[in-house]
Amino acid sequence: MAASRGLQPSVTWAQRQDSVFLTIDVKDATNVRIQLQEDSLEFAATAGEDGALYSFQLDFFKPIRREESKWSTKRCPEFYLRKSSDETWPRLQKGAGKLQWVKLDWGKWADSDEEDEKGGFDTSALEDHESGMDFSGLSQEEVEGSDDRDSILADLDEEIAIETDGEDVTR
């Protein structure tokens, strides 16, 4: 599968000595196409009301163990990639230089001296890549998505009163 030309999604990543964790910022992705190889990942999906296409191709810094890797596409696509050898990668991608669309996931990141206290990545929600993804256990709320993100912004819709030099203005 060659990655079709589409919008470039943001990708965040973190690592441990034995693994890499990727999150692709494409919420509620549909028509997901994934081609995971030992040295690369090709991703394509549609999302949003207009069905915009998101895609990318990424060559890994070093090989991974494809058969031990997992992923999930429940909310944002997430990948747990098992490294072929236990070591810290200086970057995610093969070539030198920075990919503007790839950022560190500081929430999941652990330096080598912190790995024991942070532990491994929680992969309980991810599926083994060889098995099909089974969505039969999802509740209707999980299928439709959480309203938590909406409740955070709810107060932005409220009218507020602004007082300037004796005038009351409602916005």
Side-chain angles (χ1 to χ4, degrees):
M1 165 186 92
S4 304
R5 298 297 271 166
L7 299 171
Q8 184 78 59
S10 294
V11 175
T12 57
W13 77 289
Q15 70 174 320
R16 301 290 189 271
Q17 287 286 333
D18 66 342
S19 57
V20 171
F21 196 91
L22 299 177
T23 303
I24 302 171
D25 189 17
V26 177
K27 292 169 185 63
D28 304 320
T30 58
N31 303 318
V32 177
R33 294 182 309 280
I34 297 166
Q35 186 163 351
L36 181 62
Q37 303 296 327
E38 290 185 354
D39 61 348
S40 67
L41 169 65
E42 289 184 36
F43 173 87
T46 55
E49 291 179 14
D50 59 352
L53 174 66
Y54 292 86
S55 65
F56 69 87
Q57 194 275 329
L58 177 68
D59 293 324
F60 300 129
F61 178 74
K62 290 218 174 163
I64 60 150
R65 294 180 185 155
R66 182 180 181 273
E67 66 281 352
E68 295 178 35
S69 297
K70 303 176 182 184
W71 66 69
S72 170
T73 58
K74 287 184 182 173
R75 179 156 156 59
C76 287
E78 296 180 315
F79 293 82
Y80 168 81
L81 307 172
R82 182 81 171 169
K83 294 178 181 175
S84 288
S85 58
D86 289 1
E87 63 182 296
T88 300
W89 292 358
R91 61 189 171 277
L92 177 62
Q93 75 279 9
K94 187 175 194 168
K98 180 165 175 41
L99 300 175
Q100 296 299 317
W101 49 279
V102 175
K103 310 270 189 243
L104 291 175
D105 187 341
W106 292 111
K108 290 184 173 80
W109 192 269
D111 290 323
S112 57
D113 58 343
E114 298 175 322
E115 283 190 32
D116 288 338
E117 82 185 51
K118 277 204 168 182
F121 294 118
D122 177 10
T123 62
S124 60
L126 304 180
E127 299 291 331
D128 182 348
H129 79 281
E130 293 296 334
S131 66
M133 290 185 215
D134 179 14
F135 297 107
S136 63
L138 294 178
S139 68
Q140 188 61 31
E141 180 181 272
E142 289 171 313
V143 170
E144 294 173 355
S146 171
D147 289 336
D148 290 344
R149 62 180 179 245
D150 296 331
S151 65
I152 293 170
L153 301 176
D155 61 336
L156 295 178
D157 295 332
E158 296 175 9
E159 289 189 9
I160 58 170
I162 301 173
E163 191 173 315
T164 60
D165 296 330
E167 295 178 33
D168 282 338
V169 179
T170 302
R171 292 188 184 189

